[in-house]
Amino acid sequence: MGLTYQMKMKIPFDMADMNGHIKLPDVILLSLQVSGMQSIELGVSDKDMLEQYNLVWIITDYDIDVTRLPRFAEEITIETEALTYNRLFCYRRFTIFDEAGEAIIQMMATFVLMDRDSRKVRAVDPEIVAPYQSDFSKKLLRGPKYPDLENPVSKDYHVRFYDLDMNGHVNNSKYLDWIFEVMGADFLTKHIPKKVHLKYVKEVRPGGMIASSYDLEGLQSNHRISSDGEVNAQALVTWQEFNQES
């Protein structure tokens, strides 16, 4: 196991949805902010990675379990830990605790290193991950199989300038925005995600158009983000009915 790192924060107004819950894409943004702060304190920040190795961290998969979503002005603690790594993948845990110390969101993220210029995945150098004190393990964490969409509903979205991050590609939380937004306001005001599997397949080009497609069976939805005839991301979401008391 690796070093753990924690940050406390209150949910700001602009991160709350119509129900008063934090938006799950913003949970990802806050969590990555926490892991970024840990990296800075350990001397292996994103800037250091670029300047010393010309490498950037990218995320290939998320596995998210939601007991409940924190609400506007609620204080939460985000804890992260770089668990294990192998030749290509690094696995990082995020846990969100409420004010009573109860774990309300669990998230596992899979990271890989990519050369900024060639956009090709690079093998993990043990020297790079040594400061996190994570263990080497040959065990691979495999996500689910994503079935084809049967009778999808689809909506097109334009990729805007402010959807891009410092590395020039779409911020990974934006994909979850597109995945949820296509469900429509009526559904989203009555349901919150309970379980999310999200897989990134291919980068979305800046300035283009994407199609967010899904099919829904009961409380299970199957999603695909695509552009230029190629799949960019896939997701499986299990929903729970919104409880006004949660």
Side-chain angles (χ1 to χ4, degrees), residues 1-4 38 57 81-93 108 111 124-141:
M1 298 297 181
L3 297 175
T4 60
Q38 182 187 36
W57 288 107
E81 178 184 10
L83 292 173
T84 62
Y85 72 96
N86 53 53
R87 193 176 71 87
L88 290 178
F89 301 106
C90 297
Y91 303 110
R92 179 178 281 275
R93 170 187 64 83
M108 184 72 73
F111 288 77
V124 177
D125 185 337
E127 177 185 337
I128 291 175
V129 296
Y132 300 103
Q133 298 182 27
S134 54
D135 298 327
F136 177 85
S137 173
K138 293 183 179 180
K139 183 179 179 180
L140 299 178
L141 301 183

Side-chain angles (χ1 to χ4, degrees), residues 26-60:
D26 287 329
V27 172
I28 290 178
L29 287 175
L30 291 176
S31 297
L32 293 180
Q33 177 185 343
V34 174
S35 63
M37 289 301 297
Q38 182 187 36
S39 296
I40 289 172
E41 291 198 7
L42 294 175
V44 283
S45 68
D46 290 346
K47 182 180 178 182
D48 295 322
M49 295 296 291
L50 275 174
E51 292 179 350
Q52 297 181 35
Y53 305 100
N54 199 43
L55 296 175
V56 295
W57 288 107
I58 61 171
I59 297 171
T60 62

Side-chain angles (χ1 to χ4, degrees), residues 133-173:
Q133 298 182 27
S134 54
D135 298 327
F136 177 85
S137 173
K138 293 183 179 180
K139 183 179 179 180
L140 299 178
L141 301 183
R142 302 187 184 279
K145 291 185 177 180
Y146 294 86
D148 293 333
L149 300 183
E150 298 294 335
N151 297 293
V153 176
S154 184
K155 185 175 181 180
D156 293 338
Y157 295 92
H158 178 68
V159 182
R160 304 168 302 173
F161 176 82
Y162 289 112
D163 294 333
L164 309 180
D165 61 21
M166 289 176 59
N167 296 319
H169 60 253
V170 174
N171 188 286
N172 67 79
S173 68

Side-chain angles (χ1 to χ4, degrees), residues 16 19 40 44 49 66 100 103 115 121 162 183 216 220 239 242:
N19 296 323
I40 289 172
V44 283
M49 295 296 291
V66 179
D115 185 279
V121 173
Y162 289 112
M183 303 294 293
L216 178 67
Q220 307 281 336
W239 299 88
F242 171 58

